[in-house]
Structure formats: C-alpha cells, structure tokens
Amino acid sequence: MPHNTIFPFYHLVSDDTPVYIRPLYPVRNIKTFRKDLEFLLSKYKPMHLADVQAFVNNGKRGNKPAFFLSFDDGLKEIYENVRPVLLEYGVPAAFFINPDFVGNSNWFYRFQAASLISKLDKLPGTQWKMLSNIFNTNNPEAAILKATYAQKHLLTEAAAIMEVDLDDLLSRFKPYMTAEQIVQLHNDGFYIGGHSMDHPVYADLSLADQTAQTQHSMDYIHTHIHTDYDIFAFPFTEYGVNTAFFDAVKMDVFFGTAGMKNDPVTNVIHRIPMETGNYSARSIIDKQALYYMVKYIFNKNRIYRS
Ligand SMILES: [Zn+2]
C-alpha cells in the first residue's frame, strides 16, 4: 500500500503555544510529541533523506513501513524543543526555512494577524469602526485572520489604527531560529530545505514569482548551509502549482501538504499535517489512510496539474 511510507509534518512543539500561533493551528506539547515519536517508531522505520530519494526514484514504492519527519517555517521551538527530542530518539528530520524570517528580521503575515487578534478585545469603539472601514466589514477580527499575502498592507494599516508596533512585537517574540542555530541543525545531521522567501500562497503568484521565491530561498541555503541536496516544501500548499513550475525549477524532492495523494510529478511527496487537533498520531494517520482508501475506490487520489 502507498501509505506504508508516510511523511508526517509539524511546525513547532511547545508546552506554551505562542500568542501569534494560537488562533492558527493547535500545537503539540512535548509530551504528546514524544508519544507521537514512540508510536511512529513502533510501527515504522525512520528514513534518512537518501531513503526518501530512493523512494522517489523507485516510483514512490517502499517495501517496509517507513516515515520521514519534517517541520516547516524555521521556528525557534525547533531548536529549543524539537532538536533535543529528535537527537535523543535518533530520528532524522528535515527543516524548511524562509530566509526572510531567519534571525527575526521579518515575520510571517499570518503571525502578525494572530498578534493583532490578541489585542482586539481592549480596542475602543472609534478604532473598531476604523478597522471595519479598512476591511469593509463589520467583523474586522475575521477579516484580519483572513487577510491574504496580497493584503499584507492592510495588516500594517490595522496595526497603525490599533497603535500596535509590529516591529516591537517581533523583537520581543523572536519567533524564528537564528542562522547559527540552523547551521547547528545541519551540523547535527538534520536536513535543511527551502520554504520560499516570505511564505506567499503559490497559487496566487505568477510563474516568475513562484520561481524567484523558490530559487532565492535555495540560494540562501546554498550560501549559508552548503547542502549537497536540494529539497523544498511549498508554503501553505502546492495546490494550483502548474507543470510549468516543475519544468522551470529542479529539486531532488518537493514536499506538499495534501496528506496521502498520488502526484503526477514524480518527485513531489505529500505529507500528513499532524497539527490537526487533540488526536493521537495513530488516529491522525489511520484517518488519512481511511480517507485514501475511500477515495481509492472512487479513483480520487490522483492530483491533476494543468
Ligand atoms: Zn509554512
């Protein structure tokens, strides 16, 4: 079965979910993450990147149950909480980073939105009205959370209205790893890959921008980390990325987020999001497998790309 080989992915592990992540997705604590790993290790063999490359080269067919872990966004909790646990269990993993955010020189617009949400309840009525006006809605909270990459400027405007200094918040929160910490992960034997420069939705970009976001993030990795492999995880999702992109950009392995799916592009691997609620790793993976089986019956597992 194709789901003998699984690719679970996370963003961070923390006993204290940061305020800028709380409204976005549920975070696993260290104890739960250890349980996840113990479950995975009891059923599956951990893969190194070379095993993943062999799996891809073999037409995505694996014999024994195996898993490959990855983590997106380069958050500081990777270094603080994930690294020690993975080293303790001897489990390899890949970390996908956004160079614009390394060392906290900038941050993900979704984290900015979540930070603003946390300050809305104390907002005076006049400012609430101004927010409603810029988002053209009577529910600015929902609008802030739904702001797209192209609407980043509206978040900056909202922050000004709310008298929130986003740069000050960034320097206090410091959500990301430093370049030195990322180099240390590489020296530990973990794998480092690109995740675009500043985390746009690829389907909303032109082919030229998709290519530039991808290549520039890989250039950073080549310059600072000197990897002898090229791996890339799509920010948000690879949904809507056309074959022209895969003709233009070459990579050893691309990682998507569609769970268990068969992709016409031979070196795209789909991963299972593990931050989906308070469920065990077993139940998340079983649910994905069941979903795959049901769609298998209706021949719905294949992704079509124009
Ligand atoms: Zn991401």
Side-chain angles (χ1 to χ4, degrees):
M1 291 309 287
H3 50 263
N4 243 357
T5 311
I6 60 167
F7 299 88
F9 89 99
Y10 302 78
H11 294 88
L12 70 158
V13 171
S14 178
D15 289 347
D16 182 20
T17 302
V19 66
Y20 48 86
I21 290 177
R22 212 169 288 152
L24 304 182
Y25 49 83
V27 170
R28 290 172 104 71
N29 63 33
I30 297 172
K31 195 174 155 203
T32 308
F33 180 58
R34 282 178 173 276
K35 277 194 184 154
D36 287 2
L37 280 183
E38 282 160 16
F39 166 73
L40 289 167
L41 289 167
S42 74
K43 298 271 180 200
Y44 304 87
K45 190 176 165 290
M47 283 190 281
H48 283 273
L49 184 58
D51 304 319
V52 177
Q53 286 170 286
F55 172 74
V56 164
N57 294 336
N58 189 31
K60 297 179 196 166
R61 279 183 295 273
N63 305 323
K64 294 198 177 106
F67 75 102
F68 183 70
L69 273 192
S70 54
F71 297 80
D72 289 3
D73 296 2
L75 300 171
K76 68 176 174 207
E77 290 82 0
I78 293 301
Y79 196 81
E80 293 168 359
N81 300 335
V82 173
R83 174 181 179 261
V85 176
L86 293 181
L87 288 174
E88 181 189 327
Y89 285 83
V91 172
F95 301 105
F96 296 102
I97 61 161
N98 302 106
D100 277 358
F101 305 153
V102 172
N104 298 292
S105 41
N106 199 349
W107 55 327
F108 187 22
Y109 68 95
R110 300 271 291 147
F111 292 172
Q112 298 178 24
S115 306
L116 292 176
I117 293 296
S118 73
K119 296 182 182 296
L120 273 181
D121 53 344
K122 294 178 214 102
L123 203 67
T126 48
Q127 284 162 298
W128 189 266
K129 207 164 205 162
M130 287 163 81
L131 280 186
S132 301
N133 285 341
I134 65 162
F135 286 102
N136 200 14
T137 171
N138 53 21
N139 187 353
E141 178 169 359
I144 287 172
L145 267 185
K146 273 193 282 188
T148 64
Y149 179 79
Q151 292 172 322
K152 279 190 293 182
H153 62 282
L154 290 181
L155 296 177
T156 312
E157 282 179 46
I161 290 169
M162 295 170 66
E163 294 169 28
V164 172
D165 184 341
L166 288 172
D167 292 336
D168 177 58
L169 284 186
L170 172 61
S171 65
R172 281 197 283 130
F173 292 150
K174 292 191 174 58
Y176 296 97
M177 288 189 280
T178 64
E180 294 73 23
Q181 288 172 328
I182 294 167
V183 169
Q184 180 59 51
L185 289 173
H186 169 71
N187 293 341
D188 290 334
F190 294 112
Y191 309 104
I192 310 295
H195 192 48
S196 80
M197 292 305 284
D198 66 350
H199 217 293
V201 177
Y202 266 37
D204 294 345
L205 299 184
S206 66
L207 176 62
D209 287 342
Q210 290 173 350
T211 308
Q213 282 272 351
T214 309
Q215 294 295 10
H216 293 162
S217 74
M218 299 311 294
D219 290 347
Y220 176 93
I221 286 166
H222 294 150
T223 309
H224 293 85
I225 299 142
H226 314 293
T227 58
D228 57 3
Y229 51 82
D230 287 333
I231 54 175
F232 180 83
F234 288 96
F236 296 110
T237 170
E238 72 302 320
Y239 183 79
V241 175
N242 297 334
T243 48
F245 172 83
F246 296 99
D247 292 338
V249 178
K250 293 302 161 203
M251 210 64 68
D252 291 317
V253 187
F254 291 99
F255 291 84
T257 52
M260 290 175 184
K261 284 273 188 183
N262 301 331
D263 202 288
V265 182
T266 54
N267 64 339
V268 177
I269 275 174
H270 289 286
R271 300 177 296 166
I272 301 172
M274 298 299 286
E275 291 149 335
T276 53
N278 192 19
Y279 304 104
S280 66
R282 179 197 299 264
S283 116
I284 293 168
I285 291 159
D286 282 354
K287 207 180 287 168
Q288 286 279 340
L290 181 67
Y291 192 48
Y292 184 93
M293 296 287 275
V294 169
K295 283 186 297 180
Y296 182 83
I297 296 166
F298 299 102
N299 202 14
K300 291 275 191 210
N301 281 316
R302 200 177 153 77
I303 288 174
Y304 291 91
R305 295 198 187 279
S306 48

